[in-house]
Amino acid sequence: NLDGWTGLDGSPARWQVRDGYFEVVARTGDIQTKQTFGDVQLHIEWAAPAEVVGSSQGRGNSGVYLMGRYEIQVLDSYNNKTYYNGQCGAFYGYNAPLVNACRKPGEWQQYDIVFHRPVVSGTKKEPGSFTVFQNGILIQDHIPIPVESTVAAPNQELLSKGPLFLQNHGNPVRYRNIWVRPL
């Protein structure tokens, strides 16, 4: 259910819930968890639409954001070409996955993510990292999260926690079996 989720403005999450999963509904916005997290292990299962419509970024597009800002791309990349750091499993805009591990459209897929947040405090700067398995295959291997990309102003401290955020890109992507273990 969506009891632990809200819209980004704090309103109730308006995605559709049925048969043990919830699904992106067009024009209902992104959703985020009420609970916030820092360093975590995340398991999440998702499925792109079974009917193939569109190409490149217009096909099964969504995203899983850690701390509300660091995205692992959700995309139907099964026989679907797009730019290298925007394909399924990419640390979006920064790093392409090691391999395309996508199953056929409509099939359930899983991400197992180990996330360590970046730390900026005064002059101390430590990059965070992602390790991601898709369907049991390593696709991101301890990829650094550039500190420079996360700080808006010099000497600004980052939050220690933020929500898990799921993107509504207008494609009816489904999610289920989500669990988070703080590290």
Side-chain angles (χ1 to χ4, degrees), residues 24-170:
V24 174
V25 176
R27 296 180 297 284
T28 57
D30 305 318
I31 62 173
Q32 66 184 3
T33 56
K34 293 177 182 177
Q35 186 176 352
T36 58
F37 307 95
D39 298 347
V40 296
Q41 176 185 359
L42 169 68
H43 174 87
I44 187 167
E45 296 174 16
W46 58 274
E51 182 181 342
V52 175
V53 176
S55 62
S56 186
Q57 294 293 298
R59 198 166 123 183
N61 193 340
S62 185
V64 176
Y65 287 74
L66 285 295
M67 290 186 62
R69 64 170 53 191
Y70 310 107
E71 179 185 9
I72 297 298
Q73 174 76 314
V74 169
L75 187 74
D76 176 4
S77 286
Y78 187 85
N79 291 328
N80 181 28
K81 292 183 181 182
T82 193
Y83 48 94
Y84 76 100
N85 58 3
Q87 60 190 299
C88 187
F91 171 22
Y92 189 81
Y94 291 96
N95 200 71
L98 295 168
V99 65
N100 181 344
C102 277
R103 295 180 176 150
K104 293 179 181 177
E107 292 184 18
W108 284 102
Q109 309 204 47
Q110 66 184 28
Y111 282 158
D112 289 292
I113 300 171
V114 176
F115 169 77
H116 294 281
R117 69 182 183 85
V119 176
V120 176
S121 180
T123 59
K124 178 182 172 186
K125 295 181 179 183
E126 294 179 19
S129 67
F130 274 113
T131 297
V132 181
F133 291 84
Q134 181 181 0
N135 303 323
I137 299 169
L138 181 67
I139 62 169
Q140 297 285 351
D141 189 6
H142 199 72
I143 299 304
I145 299 170
V147 172
E148 297 76 25
S149 69
T150 63
V151 180
N155 298 321
Q156 176 185 8
E157 291 190 25
L158 293 176
L159 297 175
S160 61
K161 293 184 177 184
L164 174 62
F165 167 135
L166 299 178
Q167 183 181 50
N168 182 340
H169 227 300

Side-chain angles (χ1 to χ4, degrees), residues 1-2 5 15-24 42-47 64 103 106-111 135 164 166 173-179:
N1 64 46
L2 292 170
W5 299 81
W15 291 13
Q16 185 173 27
V17 177
R18 66 173 165 207
D19 301 326
Y21 64 85
F22 51 86
E23 181 174 44
V24 174
L42 169 68
H43 174 87
I44 187 167
E45 296 174 16
W46 58 274
V64 176
R103 295 180 176 150
E107 292 184 18
W108 284 102
Q109 309 204 47
Q110 66 184 28
Y111 282 158
N135 303 323
L164 174 62
L166 299 178
V173 175
R174 299 172 287 158
Y175 290 95
R176 70 178 186 190
N177 296 333
I178 301 168
W179 59 260

